[in-house]
Amino acid sequence: MRNSEQHLHGAVAKRRKVPENLLCNLPMDILSTILSLLPINDAIRTSILSRKLKHVWCSHSNLTFDKGTMRTTYFRPSTGYYGVLRDKEFITKVDTVLHQHSGMGVEHMEIKFGLHSKHADHIDTWVNFAIAAKTKEFVINLSGRAKSAFFIALSRGNKWIAREEPYNLPSQLFSPNNGPYLRCLELTTVSLQLPSDFKGFMNLKSLTLVDVSITDEDVQCMLSKCNLLEFFEIAYCGMVTSIRMLRPLDRLKHLVVDICQKLKEIELNCSPTTLKYTGAMVPLVFASTSRLTNISVVFLTYQSALSYIVNDFPSTLPKLKSLNLLCYERERTIVPEGPLRFTYLRNLRLELIFSNYENRNTDALDYAYLLKIAPFMEILELPMWMKCRHRPYCKEDAELRVGLPHQHNYLKSVRISGFFGHKDQVELALHILRSSIVLEKMEITPKLEISDYLAMQGCFYEQEHYVDGHRVATEFVCKADHRNVVNVVSVLPSP
Protein backbone atom coordinates (compact mmCIF):
# COMPACT_ATOMS: atom_id res chain seq x y z
CA MET A 1 0.00 0.00 0.00
CA ARG A 2 2.83 2.34 0.93
CA ASN A 3 4.67 1.63 -2.34
CA SER A 4 1.56 2.33 -4.41
CA GLU A 5 1.03 5.68 -2.64
CA GLN A 6 4.64 6.66 -3.29
CA HIS A 7 4.28 5.67 -6.93
CA LEU A 8 1.09 7.74 -7.27
CA HIS A 9 2.71 10.74 -5.58
CA GLY A 10 5.70 10.50 -7.89
CA ALA A 11 3.48 10.34 -10.97
CA VAL A 12 1.56 13.45 -9.91
CA ALA A 13 4.76 15.33 -9.14
CA LYS A 14 6.16 14.35 -12.52
CA ARG A 15 3.09 15.67 -14.32
CA ARG A 16 3.25 18.96 -12.44
CA LYS A 17 6.95 19.55 -13.09
CA VAL A 18 7.53 22.37 -15.54
CA PRO A 19 10.85 22.71 -17.35
CA GLU A 20 12.82 25.54 -15.80
CA ASN A 21 13.90 26.95 -19.16
CA LEU A 22 10.46 26.88 -20.80
CA LEU A 23 9.93 30.66 -20.50
CA CYS A 24 13.50 31.46 -21.48
CA ASN A 25 13.21 29.42 -24.70
CA LEU A 26 10.51 31.69 -26.07
CA PRO A 27 11.44 34.31 -28.71
CA MET A 28 12.15 37.80 -27.38
CA ASP A 29 9.12 39.38 -29.07
CA ILE A 30 6.80 36.85 -27.39
CA LEU A 31 8.52 37.40 -24.04
CA SER A 32 8.01 41.14 -24.41
CA THR A 33 4.34 40.61 -25.21
CA ILE A 34 3.83 38.38 -22.17
CA LEU A 35 5.59 40.80 -19.82
CA SER A 36 3.59 43.74 -21.20
CA LEU A 37 0.47 42.09 -19.77
CA LEU A 38 1.92 42.34 -16.26
CA PRO A 39 1.94 45.46 -14.07
CA ILE A 40 5.33 47.16 -14.30
CA ASN A 41 6.37 46.09 -10.78
CA ASP A 42 5.69 42.42 -11.55
CA ALA A 43 7.41 42.69 -14.92
CA ILE A 44 10.55 44.04 -13.21
CA ARG A 45 10.58 41.09 -10.80
CA THR A 46 10.99 38.67 -13.74
CA SER A 47 14.48 40.07 -14.29
CA ILE A 48 15.85 37.79 -11.53
CA LEU A 49 14.65 34.59 -13.24
CA SER A 50 17.42 34.37 -15.83
CA ARG A 51 19.99 36.40 -17.74
CA LYS A 52 17.78 36.40 -20.81
CA LEU A 53 14.91 37.95 -18.86
CA LYS A 54 17.05 40.51 -17.09
CA HIS A 55 16.36 43.36 -19.50
CA VAL A 56 13.14 42.27 -21.22
CA TRP A 57 11.01 44.47 -18.95
CA CYS A 58 12.96 47.52 -20.14
CA SER A 59 10.73 47.62 -23.22
CA HIS A 60 7.50 47.36 -21.20
CA SER A 61 4.72 49.10 -23.13
CA ASN A 62 2.36 49.77 -20.21
CA LEU A 63 3.91 52.06 -17.59
CA THR A 64 1.44 52.62 -14.77
CA PHE A 65 2.87 54.33 -11.70
CA ASP A 66 0.55 54.46 -8.69
CA LYS A 67 0.36 53.30 -5.08
CA GLY A 68 -0.25 49.75 -6.24
CA THR A 69 2.62 49.31 -8.68
CA MET A 70 5.11 51.39 -6.67
CA ARG A 71 4.00 50.10 -3.27
CA THR A 72 6.47 49.48 -0.48
CA THR A 73 7.58 45.89 -0.16
CA TYR A 74 7.85 45.66 3.62
CA PHE A 75 5.04 44.46 5.86
CA ARG A 76 4.17 45.71 9.36
CA PRO A 77 2.83 42.79 11.46
CA SER A 78 1.58 45.18 14.14
CA THR A 79 -0.88 46.87 11.79
CA GLY A 80 -1.33 44.20 9.15
CA TYR A 81 -0.69 46.71 6.33
CA TYR A 82 2.11 47.61 4.04
CA GLY A 83 3.92 50.81 4.88
CA VAL A 84 2.59 54.10 3.56
CA LEU A 85 4.16 55.14 0.28
CA ARG A 86 5.63 58.63 0.71
CA ASP A 87 6.07 61.09 -2.14
CA LYS A 88 9.89 60.94 -2.03
CA GLU A 89 9.86 57.16 -2.22
CA PHE A 90 7.33 57.21 -5.08
CA ILE A 91 9.44 59.74 -7.01
CA THR A 92 12.63 57.74 -6.49
CA LYS A 93 11.01 54.54 -7.75
CA VAL A 94 9.54 56.18 -10.85
CA ASP A 95 12.87 57.85 -11.63
CA THR A 96 14.67 54.51 -11.30
CA VAL A 97 12.25 52.68 -13.61
CA LEU A 98 12.31 55.36 -16.30
CA HIS A 99 16.11 55.62 -16.14
CA GLN A 100 16.41 51.91 -16.98
CA HIS A 101 13.57 51.78 -19.52
CA SER A 102 14.52 51.79 -23.19
CA GLY A 103 12.18 54.69 -23.92
CA MET A 104 10.68 52.86 -26.88
CA GLY A 105 7.32 51.23 -27.63
CA VAL A 106 5.33 52.91 -24.85
CA GLU A 107 1.62 52.50 -25.55
CA HIS A 108 0.29 53.70 -22.18
CA MET A 109 1.93 55.81 -19.46
CA GLU A 110 0.06 56.74 -16.30
CA ILE A 111 1.14 58.71 -13.23
CA LYS A 112 -1.36 58.59 -10.39
CA PHE A 113 -0.13 59.98 -7.09
CA GLY A 114 -0.67 63.04 -4.91
CA LEU A 115 1.94 65.51 -6.17
CA HIS A 116 1.98 69.23 -6.92
CA SER A 117 4.12 72.19 -7.98
CA LYS A 118 7.03 71.58 -5.59
CA HIS A 119 7.65 68.28 -7.41
CA ALA A 120 7.75 70.01 -10.81
CA ASP A 121 11.37 69.10 -11.65
CA HIS A 122 10.66 65.38 -11.40
CA ILE A 123 7.27 65.52 -13.12
CA ASP A 124 8.81 67.55 -15.98
CA THR A 125 11.30 64.73 -16.49
CA TRP A 126 8.49 62.17 -16.65
CA VAL A 127 6.54 64.27 -19.14
CA ASN A 128 9.64 64.64 -21.31
CA PHE A 129 10.11 60.87 -21.19
CA ALA A 130 6.53 60.34 -22.37
CA ILE A 131 7.08 62.78 -25.24
CA ALA A 132 10.39 61.19 -26.30
CA ALA A 133 8.86 57.70 -26.08
CA LYS A 134 6.05 58.79 -28.42
CA THR A 135 3.47 57.63 -25.89
CA LYS A 136 0.02 57.05 -27.35
CA GLU A 137 -2.01 57.19 -24.11
CA PHE A 138 -0.82 59.62 -21.42
CA VAL A 139 -2.54 59.94 -18.03
CA ILE A 140 -1.44 62.42 -15.35
CA ASN A 141 -3.50 62.25 -12.16
CA LEU A 142 -1.77 64.30 -9.48
CA SER A 143 -4.65 64.00 -7.05
CA GLY A 144 -3.83 60.34 -6.57
CA ARG A 145 -7.56 59.63 -6.30
CA ALA A 146 -10.40 58.39 -8.45
CA LYS A 147 -12.78 60.95 -9.95
CA SER A 148 -15.52 59.87 -7.53
CA ALA A 149 -13.41 61.27 -4.67
CA PHE A 150 -14.06 64.80 -5.94
CA PHE A 151 -17.80 64.21 -5.68
CA ILE A 152 -17.43 63.01 -2.10
CA ALA A 153 -15.18 65.96 -1.29
CA LEU A 154 -17.78 68.33 -2.69
CA SER A 155 -20.38 66.96 -0.28
CA ARG A 156 -17.99 67.69 2.58
CA GLY A 157 -17.16 71.22 1.49
CA ASN A 158 -13.72 70.24 0.14
CA LYS A 159 -12.37 70.54 3.69
CA TRP A 160 -10.66 67.19 3.66
CA ILE A 161 -8.45 67.91 0.62
CA ALA A 162 -5.40 70.06 1.29
CA ARG A 163 -5.05 72.32 -1.72
CA GLU A 164 -1.49 72.96 -2.83
CA GLU A 165 -0.47 74.97 -5.87
CA PRO A 166 -1.09 72.59 -8.80
CA TYR A 167 1.66 71.44 -11.10
CA ASN A 168 1.85 73.51 -14.28
CA LEU A 169 2.12 71.39 -17.42
CA PRO A 170 5.22 72.25 -19.50
CA SER A 171 4.73 73.78 -22.91
CA GLN A 172 6.68 70.97 -24.61
CA LEU A 173 3.73 68.62 -24.01
CA PHE A 174 1.79 70.73 -26.50
CA SER A 175 4.56 71.00 -29.08
CA PRO A 176 3.87 70.00 -32.71
CA ASN A 177 6.36 67.11 -32.35
CA ASN A 178 4.03 65.38 -29.91
CA GLY A 179 0.93 65.84 -32.05
CA PRO A 180 1.16 62.83 -34.38
CA TYR A 181 1.51 60.19 -31.65
CA LEU A 182 -0.89 61.08 -28.86
CA ARG A 183 -4.28 59.30 -29.06
CA CYS A 184 -5.56 59.74 -25.50
CA LEU A 185 -4.80 62.46 -22.92
CA GLU A 186 -6.19 62.47 -19.35
CA LEU A 187 -5.25 65.28 -16.97
CA THR A 188 -6.25 65.55 -13.30
CA THR A 189 -5.33 68.21 -10.72
CA VAL A 190 -2.92 70.18 -12.87
CA SER A 191 -2.71 73.68 -14.29
CA LEU A 192 -2.86 74.04 -18.06
CA GLN A 193 -1.97 77.07 -20.14
CA LEU A 194 -1.64 76.49 -23.86
CA PRO A 195 1.31 78.08 -25.65
CA SER A 196 0.43 80.70 -28.25
CA ASP A 197 1.79 78.48 -31.04
CA PHE A 198 -0.31 75.42 -30.10
CA LYS A 199 -1.15 73.55 -33.30
CA GLY A 200 -3.29 70.85 -31.76
CA PHE A 201 -3.04 67.08 -31.45
CA MET A 202 -3.84 65.88 -34.93
CA ASN A 203 -4.63 62.29 -33.93
CA LEU A 204 -6.08 62.79 -30.44
CA LYS A 205 -9.35 60.88 -30.01
CA SER A 206 -9.99 61.11 -26.26
CA LEU A 207 -9.50 64.12 -23.96
CA THR A 208 -10.31 64.18 -20.22
CA LEU A 209 -9.87 67.22 -17.96
CA VAL A 210 -10.61 66.73 -14.24
CA ASP A 211 -9.91 69.42 -11.64
CA VAL A 212 -7.78 71.30 -14.16
CA SER A 213 -7.04 75.00 -13.84
CA ILE A 214 -7.90 76.08 -17.37
CA THR A 215 -9.60 79.08 -18.97
CA ASP A 216 -12.61 79.09 -21.29
CA GLU A 217 -10.35 80.24 -24.11
CA ASP A 218 -7.95 77.32 -23.71
CA VAL A 219 -10.82 74.82 -23.59
CA GLN A 220 -12.13 76.28 -26.83
CA CYS A 221 -8.64 76.21 -28.36
CA MET A 222 -8.14 72.56 -27.40
CA LEU A 223 -11.45 71.57 -28.96
CA SER A 224 -10.89 73.58 -32.13
CA LYS A 225 -7.48 72.07 -32.84
CA CYS A 226 -8.17 68.40 -32.15
CA ASN A 227 -10.10 67.53 -35.27
CA LEU A 228 -10.34 63.78 -34.67
CA LEU A 229 -11.67 64.08 -31.11
CA GLU A 230 -14.39 61.51 -30.36
CA PHE A 231 -14.59 61.63 -26.54
CA PHE A 232 -14.43 64.77 -24.38
CA GLU A 233 -14.85 64.87 -20.60
CA ILE A 234 -14.53 67.92 -18.38
CA ALA A 235 -15.20 67.73 -14.64
CA TYR A 236 -14.64 69.83 -11.52
CA CYS A 237 -12.86 72.55 -13.47
CA GLY A 238 -13.64 75.53 -11.25
CA MET A 239 -12.54 78.29 -13.65
CA VAL A 240 -14.67 77.20 -16.60
CA THR A 241 -17.80 79.29 -17.24
CA SER A 242 -18.50 78.35 -20.87
CA ILE A 243 -17.94 75.34 -23.10
CA ARG A 244 -18.46 76.87 -26.49
CA MET A 245 -17.25 75.83 -29.90
CA LEU A 246 -18.84 77.16 -33.09
CA ARG A 247 -16.41 75.38 -35.38
CA PRO A 248 -17.72 71.95 -36.45
CA LEU A 249 -16.65 69.00 -34.29
CA ASP A 250 -17.72 66.34 -36.74
CA ARG A 251 -16.08 63.38 -34.97
CA LEU A 252 -17.22 64.15 -31.40
CA LYS A 253 -19.52 61.32 -30.27
CA HIS A 254 -19.34 61.29 -26.47
CA LEU A 255 -19.58 64.31 -24.15
CA VAL A 256 -19.27 64.17 -20.33
CA VAL A 257 -19.61 67.31 -18.17
CA ASP A 258 -19.49 66.92 -14.37
CA ILE A 259 -19.98 69.69 -11.79
CA CYS A 260 -18.10 72.66 -13.17
CA GLN A 261 -19.55 75.01 -10.58
CA LYS A 262 -19.22 78.26 -12.53
CA LEU A 263 -20.47 76.83 -15.82
CA LYS A 264 -23.23 78.89 -17.45
CA GLU A 265 -23.57 77.47 -20.97
CA ILE A 266 -22.71 74.60 -23.28
CA GLU A 267 -22.87 75.32 -27.00
CA LEU A 268 -21.10 72.98 -29.37
CA ASN A 269 -21.26 72.59 -33.11
CA CYS A 270 -21.52 68.82 -33.02
CA SER A 271 -23.97 65.94 -33.05
CA PRO A 272 -23.01 63.56 -30.20
CA THR A 273 -24.43 60.11 -29.66
CA THR A 274 -24.08 60.08 -25.85
CA LEU A 275 -24.34 62.91 -23.31
CA LYS A 276 -23.68 62.80 -19.55
CA TYR A 277 -24.19 65.98 -17.54
CA THR A 278 -24.13 66.68 -13.79
CA GLY A 279 -24.59 70.14 -12.31
CA ALA A 280 -26.93 73.10 -12.24
CA MET A 281 -29.39 73.52 -15.09
CA VAL A 282 -27.68 75.27 -18.00
CA PRO A 283 -28.62 75.62 -21.67
CA LEU A 284 -27.47 72.59 -23.67
CA VAL A 285 -27.14 73.68 -27.29
CA PHE A 286 -25.89 71.40 -30.07
CA ALA A 287 -25.83 71.86 -33.80
CA SER A 288 -27.87 68.69 -34.09
CA THR A 289 -29.37 66.11 -31.74
CA SER A 290 -30.25 63.69 -34.49
CA ARG A 291 -27.60 61.15 -33.39
CA LEU A 292 -28.26 61.25 -29.62
CA THR A 293 -29.11 57.75 -28.43
CA ASN A 294 -28.12 57.90 -24.73
CA ILE A 295 -28.59 60.82 -22.32
CA SER A 296 -27.83 60.95 -18.59
CA VAL A 297 -28.54 64.18 -16.70
CA VAL A 298 -28.25 64.88 -12.96
CA PHE A 299 -29.45 68.30 -11.80
CA LEU A 300 -28.05 69.36 -8.44
CA THR A 301 -30.47 72.28 -8.13
CA TYR A 302 -34.26 72.16 -7.80
CA GLN A 303 -35.79 71.39 -11.16
CA SER A 304 -39.01 69.64 -12.12
CA ALA A 305 -38.24 66.65 -14.31
CA LEU A 306 -41.50 66.97 -16.23
CA SER A 307 -40.99 70.68 -16.77
CA TYR A 308 -37.49 70.07 -18.08
CA ILE A 309 -38.55 67.26 -20.39
CA VAL A 310 -41.42 69.27 -21.86
CA ASN A 311 -40.02 72.80 -21.91
CA ASP A 312 -36.22 72.65 -21.88
CA PHE A 313 -35.22 69.32 -23.34
CA PRO A 314 -33.92 69.33 -26.94
CA SER A 315 -37.04 69.40 -29.06
CA THR A 316 -35.92 66.84 -31.64
CA LEU A 317 -34.49 63.53 -30.46
CA PRO A 318 -35.40 61.10 -33.22
CA LYS A 319 -32.98 58.35 -32.13
CA LEU A 320 -33.00 58.63 -28.33
CA LYS A 321 -33.14 55.09 -26.90
CA SER A 322 -31.96 55.52 -23.30
CA LEU A 323 -32.60 58.42 -20.92
CA ASN A 324 -31.41 58.77 -17.29
CA LEU A 325 -32.59 61.89 -15.47
CA LEU A 326 -32.27 62.88 -11.80
CA CYS A 327 -34.14 65.91 -10.46
CA TYR A 328 -34.87 67.50 -7.11
CA GLU A 329 -38.60 68.10 -7.07
CA ARG A 330 -39.97 70.97 -4.99
CA GLU A 331 -42.84 72.55 -6.97
CA ARG A 332 -45.55 70.85 -8.98
CA THR A 333 -45.58 71.50 -12.72
CA ILE A 334 -48.75 71.62 -14.79
CA VAL A 335 -47.72 69.94 -18.02
CA PRO A 336 -49.40 71.28 -21.16
CA GLU A 337 -50.74 68.82 -23.68
CA GLY A 338 -48.52 68.74 -26.72
CA PRO A 339 -47.25 66.65 -29.62
CA LEU A 340 -44.00 65.69 -27.87
CA ARG A 341 -43.12 62.05 -28.49
CA PHE A 342 -39.97 60.04 -27.74
CA THR A 343 -40.68 57.54 -30.45
CA TYR A 344 -37.35 55.71 -30.18
CA LEU A 345 -37.06 55.75 -26.39
CA ARG A 346 -36.87 52.22 -25.02
CA ASN A 347 -35.24 52.62 -21.58
CA LEU A 348 -36.08 55.38 -19.08
CA ARG A 349 -34.60 55.82 -15.60
CA LEU A 350 -36.12 58.81 -13.84
CA GLU A 351 -34.75 59.53 -10.36
CA LEU A 352 -36.97 61.83 -8.31
CA ILE A 353 -36.13 63.45 -4.98
CA PHE A 354 -39.30 64.98 -3.55
CA SER A 355 -38.25 67.70 -1.11
CA ASN A 356 -40.06 70.20 1.14
CA TYR A 357 -40.60 68.48 4.46
CA GLU A 358 -43.64 70.28 5.86
CA ASN A 359 -45.94 70.98 2.91
CA ARG A 360 -45.06 68.99 -0.18
CA ASN A 361 -46.50 70.54 -3.33
CA THR A 362 -45.38 67.83 -5.75
CA ASP A 363 -47.45 64.91 -7.01
CA ALA A 364 -45.94 61.60 -8.10
CA LEU A 365 -49.09 60.77 -10.10
CA ASP A 366 -48.13 63.54 -12.55
CA TYR A 367 -45.49 61.17 -13.87
CA ALA A 368 -48.16 58.97 -15.39
CA TYR A 369 -47.61 61.40 -18.27
CA LEU A 370 -44.45 59.43 -19.10
CA LEU A 371 -46.56 56.69 -20.66
CA LYS A 372 -47.93 59.21 -23.13
CA ILE A 373 -44.68 60.83 -24.24
CA ALA A 374 -42.80 57.52 -24.62
CA PRO A 375 -45.31 55.24 -26.38
CA PHE A 376 -42.69 52.57 -27.28
CA MET A 377 -40.89 52.47 -23.94
CA GLU A 378 -40.09 48.92 -22.76
CA ILE A 379 -38.20 49.45 -19.49
CA LEU A 380 -39.09 52.04 -16.83
CA GLU A 381 -37.13 52.63 -13.61
CA LEU A 382 -38.45 55.09 -11.02
CA PRO A 383 -36.06 55.46 -8.07
CA MET A 384 -37.70 57.90 -5.61
CA TRP A 385 -36.81 59.53 -2.33
CA MET A 386 -39.75 61.03 -0.47
CA LYS A 387 -37.68 63.53 1.46
CA CYS A 388 -40.72 64.92 3.24
CA ARG A 389 -43.08 64.16 6.13
CA HIS A 390 -43.73 60.42 6.23
CA ARG A 391 -47.41 59.66 5.66
CA PRO A 392 -48.03 56.08 4.49
CA TYR A 393 -51.44 55.61 2.90
CA CYS A 394 -54.24 53.83 4.76
CA LYS A 395 -57.93 53.16 4.03
CA GLU A 396 -59.07 56.00 6.26
CA ASP A 397 -57.34 58.55 4.03
CA ALA A 398 -58.95 60.04 0.96
CA GLU A 399 -59.98 57.70 -1.83
CA LEU A 400 -57.26 56.77 -4.30
CA ARG A 401 -57.36 58.81 -7.49
CA VAL A 402 -57.50 57.14 -10.87
CA GLY A 403 -55.45 58.69 -13.65
CA LEU A 404 -56.85 59.31 -17.10
CA PRO A 405 -57.16 55.98 -18.89
CA HIS A 406 -54.27 55.29 -21.23
CA GLN A 407 -53.21 52.08 -22.94
CA HIS A 408 -49.49 51.41 -23.31
CA ASN A 409 -48.67 48.55 -25.64
CA TYR A 410 -44.92 48.06 -25.16
CA LEU A 411 -43.96 48.52 -21.51
CA LYS A 412 -42.68 45.18 -20.18
CA SER A 413 -40.60 45.93 -17.09
CA VAL A 414 -41.09 48.46 -14.27
CA ARG A 415 -39.05 48.96 -11.10
CA ILE A 416 -40.12 51.47 -8.44
CA SER A 417 -37.69 51.95 -5.56
CA GLY A 418 -37.89 54.23 -2.54
CA PHE A 419 -41.54 53.23 -2.22
CA PHE A 420 -42.49 54.49 1.26
CA GLY A 421 -46.21 54.00 0.71
CA HIS A 422 -47.26 57.62 0.14
CA LYS A 423 -50.69 58.04 -1.43
CA ASP A 424 -49.45 59.47 -4.74
CA GLN A 425 -46.85 56.68 -5.01
CA VAL A 426 -49.63 54.11 -4.72
CA GLU A 427 -51.70 55.94 -7.33
CA LEU A 428 -48.81 56.09 -9.79
CA ALA A 429 -48.01 52.39 -9.36
CA LEU A 430 -51.67 51.46 -9.92
CA HIS A 431 -51.93 53.66 -13.01
CA ILE A 432 -48.86 52.03 -14.59
CA LEU A 433 -50.11 48.56 -13.68
CA ARG A 434 -53.55 49.11 -15.21
CA SER A 435 -52.30 50.92 -18.33
CA SER A 436 -49.51 48.54 -19.38
CA ILE A 437 -51.26 45.70 -21.14
CA VAL A 438 -48.11 43.65 -21.95
CA LEU A 439 -46.40 44.20 -18.60
CA GLU A 440 -44.33 41.17 -17.59
CA LYS A 441 -42.99 42.34 -14.23
CA MET A 442 -43.35 45.24 -11.81
CA GLU A 443 -40.92 45.21 -8.93
CA ILE A 444 -41.55 47.51 -5.97
CA THR A 445 -39.03 47.99 -3.20
CA PRO A 446 -38.94 50.48 -0.33
CA LYS A 447 -35.15 50.54 -0.48
CA LEU A 448 -33.58 53.84 -1.59
CA GLU A 449 -31.67 53.47 -4.84
CA ILE A 450 -30.94 57.08 -5.74
CA SER A 451 -27.56 57.19 -7.48
CA ASP A 452 -26.65 60.75 -6.45
CA TYR A 453 -24.11 60.51 -3.61
CA LEU A 454 -24.88 64.01 -2.37
CA ALA A 455 -28.57 63.20 -2.08
CA MET A 456 -27.88 60.01 -0.18
CA GLN A 457 -25.87 61.68 2.57
CA GLY A 458 -27.51 60.92 5.92
CA CYS A 459 -30.50 59.02 4.47
CA PHE A 460 -29.99 55.99 6.70
CA TYR A 461 -32.81 57.16 8.95
CA GLU A 462 -35.27 56.57 6.11
CA GLN A 463 -34.89 52.83 6.62
CA GLU A 464 -37.53 52.95 9.33
CA HIS A 465 -40.04 53.63 6.55
CA TYR A 466 -39.22 50.38 4.72
CA VAL A 467 -41.76 48.35 6.68
CA ASP A 468 -44.55 50.85 5.89
CA GLY A 469 -43.65 50.85 2.20
CA HIS A 470 -43.75 47.07 1.97
CA ARG A 471 -47.07 46.89 3.82
CA VAL A 472 -48.80 49.53 1.68
CA ALA A 473 -47.53 48.07 -1.62
CA THR A 474 -48.69 44.61 -0.60
CA GLU A 475 -52.11 45.80 0.56
CA PHE A 476 -53.04 48.14 -2.29
CA VAL A 477 -50.91 47.32 -5.36
CA CYS A 478 -50.69 43.54 -5.10
CA LYS A 479 -54.45 43.28 -4.54
CA ALA A 480 -55.05 45.08 -7.85
CA ASP A 481 -52.68 42.74 -9.70
CA HIS A 482 -54.75 40.17 -11.61
CA ARG A 483 -51.88 38.98 -13.82
CA ASN A 484 -49.41 38.08 -11.07
CA VAL A 485 -46.72 40.46 -12.35
CA VAL A 486 -46.11 42.49 -9.16
CA ASN A 487 -43.31 41.57 -6.80
CA VAL A 488 -42.93 43.57 -3.58
CA VAL A 489 -39.40 43.19 -2.21
CA SER A 490 -39.06 42.95 1.54
CA VAL A 491 -36.11 44.95 2.87
CA LEU A 492 -35.10 44.72 6.49
CA PRO A 493 -33.70 47.91 8.05
CA SER A 494 -30.00 47.79 8.85
CA PRO A 495 -29.21 47.24 12.54
Side-chain angles (χ1 to χ4, degrees):
M1 183 70 175
R2 183 178 179 85
N3 290 336
S4 62
E5 287 180 355
Q6 290 176 345
H7 177 76
L8 179 62
H9 177 75
V12 172
K14 186 176 181 180
R15 288 199 302 271
R16 288 180 177 175
K17 187 175 181 180
V18 179
E20 295 180 1
N21 61 349
L22 178 62
L23 191 62
C24 298
N25 288 339
L26 294 173
M28 287 297 286
D29 58 339
I30 295 179
L31 283 174
S32 296
T33 301
I34 293 173
L35 263 62
S36 69
L37 301 176
L38 298 174
I40 183 63
N41 54 321
D42 292 334
I44 292 173
R45 290 193 183 99
T46 64
S47 63
I48 65 173
L49 298 178
S50 72
R51 290 182 179 180
K52 185 175 182 180
L53 290 171
K54 186 174 183 179
H55 300 292
V56 176
W57 75 265
C58 296
S59 298
H60 203 280
S61 60
N62 184 0
L63 301 177
T64 298
F65 303 108
D66 56 24
K67 292 179 181 178
T69 59
M70 298 290 104
R71 64 183 179 269
T72 51
T73 55
Y74 56 89
F75 186 75
R76 295 177 177 172
S78 60
T79 61
Y81 293 99
Y82 287 96
V84 176
L85 184 62
R86 306 293 181 184
D87 52 2
K88 289 183 180 180
E89 186 178 3
F90 178 82
I91 289 170
T92 299
K93 289 189 172 186
V94 175
D95 285 343
T96 301
V97 172
L98 294 185
H99 180 73
Q100 298 180 57
H101 196 277
S102 67
M104 298 175 63
V106 178
E107 295 284 331
H108 178 91
M109 180 170 171
E110 179 174 352
I111 302 161
K112 184 179 179 182
F113 198 81
L115 301 171
H116 40 83
S117 59
K118 77 175 185 179
H119 308 107
D121 290 344
H122 296 281
I123 304 172
D124 284 346
T125 302
W126 304 342
V127 172
N128 288 332
F129 175 90
I131 295 171
K134 300 177 181 178
T135 304
K136 295 179 181 179
E137 299 176 359
F138 192 27
V139 179
I140 304 179
N141 181 346
L142 299 188
S143 74
R145 299 179 174 91
K147 193 181 79 167
S148 58
F150 292 95
F151 201 69
I152 298 172
L154 180 65
S155 70
R156 300 176 181 177
N158 289 315
K159 294 180 180 179
W160 68 297
I161 293 183
R163 301 294 295 185
E164 302 283 353
E165 183 180 350
Y167 166 72
N168 189 35
L169 290 164
S171 59
Q172 54 264 36
L173 177 62
F174 306 99
S175 68
N177 294 332
N178 199 29
Y181 310 107
L182 204 58
R183 303 287 191 274
C184 172
L185 180 62
E186 297 182 19
L187 305 173
T188 301
T189 313
V190 297
S191 178
L192 188 160
Q193 186 174 359
L194 293 177
S196 57
D197 61 346
F198 178 61
K199 304 298 183 184
F201 298 116
M202 63 180 67
N203 290 311
L204 190 71
K205 293 186 176 182
S206 177
L207 174 63
T208 298
L209 306 174
V210 179
D211 188 35
V212 174
S213 298
I214 186 172
T215 64
D216 295 348
E217 292 74 21
D218 280 344
V219 171
Q220 183 172 339
C221 184
M222 288 277 281
L223 293 176
S224 66
K225 296 185 178 180
C226 299
N227 295 325
L228 297 185
L229 198 64
E230 297 178 358
F231 176 93
F232 176 53
E233 176 178 5
I234 183 167
Y236 308 97
C237 293
M239 295 172 56
V240 174
T241 63
S242 173
I243 302 173
R244 197 164 183 265
M245 184 67 250
L246 300 182
R247 179 178 172 179
L249 299 170
D250 297 331
R251 299 291 187 94
L252 189 63
K253 298 177 182 178
H254 312 286
L255 176 64
V256 179
V257 181
D258 271 347
I259 312 182
C260 295
Q261 292 178 296
K262 294 183 179 179
L263 186 65
K264 301 298 182 185
E265 65 171 348
I266 299 176
E267 183 177 358
L268 297 173
N269 190 353
C270 64
S271 180
T273 58
T274 65
L275 167 66
K276 292 184 68 176
Y277 174 79
T278 302
M281 181 178 170
V282 298
L284 303 174
V285 180
F286 302 104
S288 170
T289 56
S290 61
R291 295 194 304 181
L292 267 174
T293 59
N294 295 278
I295 297 179
S296 177
V297 177
V298 174
F299 287 128
L300 299 180
T301 53
Y302 289 104
Q303 170 64 46
S304 166
L306 278 181
S307 175
Y308 178 72
I309 289 174
V310 174
N311 300 317
D312 300 294
F313 214 59
S315 57
T316 54
L317 293 164
K319 294 185 178 181
L320 183 64
K321 294 182 179 179
S322 177
L323 171 62
N324 295 344
L325 179 62
L326 183 149
C327 289
Y328 289 74
E329 305 281 326
R330 177 172 277 183
E331 299 293 335
R332 186 179 181 187
T333 299
I334 305 301
V335 180
E337 289 293 330
L340 181 64
R341 292 290 186 274
F342 294 106
T343 54
Y344 278 79
L345 187 63
R346 298 295 182 267
N347 303 323
L348 173 60
R349 179 182 174 91
L350 188 58
E351 303 186 47
L352 303 170
I353 302 173
F354 293 97
S355 297
N356 202 338
Y357 186 82
E358 291 298 331
N359 298 302
R360 180 162 68 92
N361 298 319
T362 51
D363 189 348
L365 184 57
D366 289 341
Y367 287 88
Y369 185 66
L370 297 172
L371 302 184
K372 272 192 170 185
I373 63 176
F376 299 101
M377 177 171 57
E378 297 176 359
I379 299 174
L380 173 62
E381 295 181 67
L382 289 172
M384 301 184 194
W385 184 11
M386 311 306 285
K387 199 176 179 182
C388 50
R389 185 180 295 279
H390 182 53
R391 293 189 61 183
Y393 180 70
C394 61
K395 291 181 179 180
E396 290 72 27
D397 292 337
E399 187 175 344
L400 290 170
R401 296 169 296 168
V402 178
L404 294 175
H406 178 79
Q407 183 172 297
H408 198 288
N409 299 317
Y410 291 88
L411 189 60
K412 297 178 181 178
S413 174
V414 176
R415 181 176 177 84
I416 303 175
S417 57
F419 189 94
F420 290 174
H422 288 226
K423 180 174 180 285
D424 53 342
Q425 287 185 306
V426 177
E427 292 164 340
L428 177 61
L430 289 174
H431 178 83
I432 296 173
L433 178 64
R434 292 162 178 161
S435 301
S436 308
I437 62 175
V438 297
L439 190 65
E440 297 175 358
K441 65 175 180 177
M442 171 183 280
E443 193 164 75
I444 300 176
T445 175
K447 185 178 180 180
L448 288 171
E449 296 179 351
I450 296 291
S451 61
D452 180 9
Y453 184 87
L454 288 178
M456 294 298 288
Q457 289 293 301
C459 71
F460 58 87
Y461 66 89
E462 303 288 6
Q463 294 181 10
E464 65 190 54
H465 305 328
Y466 286 0
V467 175
D468 289 334
H470 182 273
R471 174 183 56 79
V472 173
T474 302
E475 183 176 353
F476 296 100
V477 183
C478 285
K479 283 187 177 180
D481 175 24
H482 305 301
R483 292 171 287 170
N484 197 28
V485 296
V486 177
N487 175 33
V488 180
V489 180
S490 179
V491 181
L492 295 176
S494 301

